[in-house]
Amino acid sequence: MLPSLVEKLIESCTREDHIDIKAFCEALGVNIAIRPKLKNLCEIHLEGETDKPVISLSPTLDKKTKFTFVAIALAEYILTPERVARTGICYDMFFLEDIYHQRHGYRMLLATRIAVPKHLINLISSTSPEAEKLIAQANYLPKFLRCCVSNSSALFLLANFSDLPQS
């Protein structure tokens, strides 16, 4: 997917102080399913005869964890669609434990940009009481939101999409 299209999609799904992640999924043709027998917390894979991308979530997850996994899985799908098509990607509880250490990686830069409007990224990156209030009220896990990098290179990442390493 061309970077300008991703950037335009993010802009079109931005609603004042949040990004409509469900609209983002719809625009990309990604389904979200709750799967009671899922062995992992979250998976993204292609499913059915049409090879439609599906983000499967465990029903035991709380709302903030579900939103967090959806943003991360969407970033993964945008950055490495061939990996999603080939084997799918699974996320377990150990993945979440290590999330903050991944904040400068391509996946997390894009995932946080998909989840947070750019005008709030600098605010969240600060340690102000206002930032903590925003983090507490958001639909995402606090440790995920603390991965926002001020002056994020996510837009640089989008602009240089073709230079990304293939995984």
Side-chain angles (χ1 to χ4, degrees), residues 63-64 130-140 142 145:
K63 178 183 173 182
K64 289 183 179 220
E130 195 176 271
E132 290 306 312
K133 181 179 176 187
L134 182 66
I135 288 170
Q137 293 173 345
N139 285 331
Y140 297 91
L145 292 175

Side-chain angles (χ1 to χ4, degrees), residues 18-82:
H18 76 282
I19 294 178
D20 185 341
I21 199 86
K22 291 177 184 176
F24 197 93
C25 286
E26 286 175 17
L28 284 179
V30 176
N31 287 335
I32 300 172
I34 304 297
R35 302 275 163 87
K37 295 183 180 183
L38 191 66
K39 290 181 170 72
N40 294 296
L41 298 179
C42 176
E43 295 178 0
I44 183 166
H45 55 277
L46 300 184
E47 190 173 87
E49 293 177 14
T50 59
D51 282 339
K52 191 163 185 128
V54 176
I55 298 172
S56 299
L57 298 164
S58 170
T60 61
L61 298 175
D62 62 74
K63 178 183 173 182
K64 289 183 179 220
T65 306
K66 286 177 184 173
F67 270 83
T68 298
F69 273 129
V70 169
I72 292 168
L74 285 170
E76 196 86 64
Y77 176 63
I78 291 167
L79 293 171
T80 60
E82 67 287 335

Side-chain angles (χ1 to χ4, degrees), residues 91-160:
Y91 305 98
D92 58 19
M93 63 185 199
F94 300 110
F95 175 82
L96 282 180
E97 292 303 317
D98 192 42
I99 206 168
Y100 187 74
H101 299 290
Q102 301 174 35
R103 69 186 177 281
H104 294 290
Y106 294 136
R107 173 182 46 211
M108 292 306 293
L109 287 172
L110 184 55
T112 54
R113 185 59 190 92
I114 289 171
V116 181
K118 83 176 144 183
H119 69 276
L120 294 179
I121 288 179
N122 286 339
L123 174 65
I124 290 174
S125 299
S126 73
T127 56
S128 70
E130 195 176 271
E132 290 306 312
K133 181 179 176 187
L134 182 66
I135 288 170
Q137 293 173 345
N139 285 331
Y140 297 91
L141 292 172
K143 62 183 161 186
F144 171 71
L145 292 175
R146 288 187 179 97
C147 290
C148 287
V149 177
S150 75
N151 300 319
S152 172
S153 350
L155 295 178
F156 172 78
L157 167 70
L158 291 175
N160 293 289

